[in-house]
Amino acid sequence: FKYCFLKATGLDFHELKLEASFQLMAKDIVAIPGDAFMYRDFQARNVMLDADNNPYFIDFQGGRRGPVQYDVASFLWQASARYSQSLREELIQTYITNLKHYIEVNEVKFRQNLKLCVLFRLLQVLGAYGFRGYFERKKHFLESIPAAIQNLRDLLQDNGCPYPYMREILTRLVGLPQF
């Protein structure tokens, strides 16, 4: 994110302060309980329907153990989907309700960890879009940036970044005229 997206925008920031924010975020991310299969690239294009309209999944090469919230973040905040907040909320609540059939769920903690995973995923996606768009000049990735920025803007309005300096930089980023 920092090298392939943020620096490419020309936004001025203090490298060490931002790095300290990333370190705090990394500490918080690894503290999220993560003993589930984490798909890692869970998005609509990797969900297929068979002849009887039963869903099945493809593209597992990035799978590993991790927090269940990461896949929820990947799916519901994919830039190209442009899901409404009300649809996201409905799907999150459905997910939590069904997850309770398998494990004990503290809904408040689940949602806090989900916001952190959404932040992490959005930064990861913007880094990839920056690399593939700004540096490799791939049109699809350049066209996907505004929707990802809108997701980040919405997350910031929902207090989705608990790191003051990172929040300051991201708020300035989403306010840039090109977005």
Side-chain angles (χ1 to χ4, degrees):
F1 170 76
K2 182 170 63 172
Y3 296 111
C4 293
F5 190 83
L6 187 59
K7 285 190 172 203
T9 68
L11 188 70
D12 188 41
F13 63 94
H14 190 282
E15 189 104 19
L16 293 177
K17 283 184 177 180
L18 187 58
E19 185 61 32
S21 295
F22 283 134
Q23 292 299 321
L24 288 172
M25 183 171 68
K27 180 178 134 300
D28 292 343
I29 288 280
V30 299
I32 298 173
D35 197 27
F37 177 76
M38 186 173 67
Y39 197 101
R40 288 189 61 229
D41 195 22
F42 195 51
Q43 53 187 310
R45 71 177 182 199
N46 289 334
V47 180
M48 301 288 144
L49 297 175
D50 67 16
D52 297 321
N53 283 329
N54 296 308
Y56 66 97
F57 310 104
I58 63 168
D59 195 8
F60 288 93
Q61 75 265 16
R64 62 185 62 186
R65 286 187 182 273
V68 294
Q69 292 91 340
Y70 186 85
D71 284 339
V72 176
S74 295
F75 194 85
L76 295 181
W77 276 267
Q78 57 189 297
S80 61
R82 299 174 194 232
Y83 296 131
S84 69
Q85 188 55 38
S86 61
L87 178 58
R88 283 183 186 140
E89 182 52 41
E90 179 183 343
L91 293 172
I92 291 166
Q93 193 56 57
T94 300
Y95 186 89
I96 291 170
T97 299
N98 285 286
L99 185 61
K100 288 178 179 179
H101 295 295
Y102 302 98
I103 62 172
E104 188 175 321
V105 178
N106 174 328
E107 190 168 334
V108 171
K109 192 68 174 163
F110 180 94
R111 288 176 179 276
Q112 288 172 341
N113 290 337
L114 176 59
K115 277 187 183 181
L116 191 57
C117 287
V118 170
L119 175 63
F120 180 79
R121 178 66 179 183
L122 289 175
L123 297 181
Q124 180 185 38
V125 163
L126 284 169
Y129 289 177
F131 178 72
R132 302 294 303 267
Y134 294 145
F135 295 97
E136 293 183 345
R137 307 304 304 164
K138 304 231 178 196
K139 184 179 177 192
H140 167 73
F141 293 96
L142 288 169
E143 291 171 348
S144 298
I145 290 171
I149 288 289
Q150 184 59 49
N151 284 341
L152 182 57
R153 190 177 287 120
D154 293 344
L155 181 68
L156 291 169
Q157 290 174 350
D158 192 29
N159 296 314
C161 182
Y163 315 104
Y165 187 72
M166 182 186 292
R167 184 176 50 249
E168 175 189 327
I169 296 305
L170 295 177
T171 300
R172 288 177 35 219
L173 174 69
V174 301
L176 289 174
Q178 66 262 40
F179 302 127

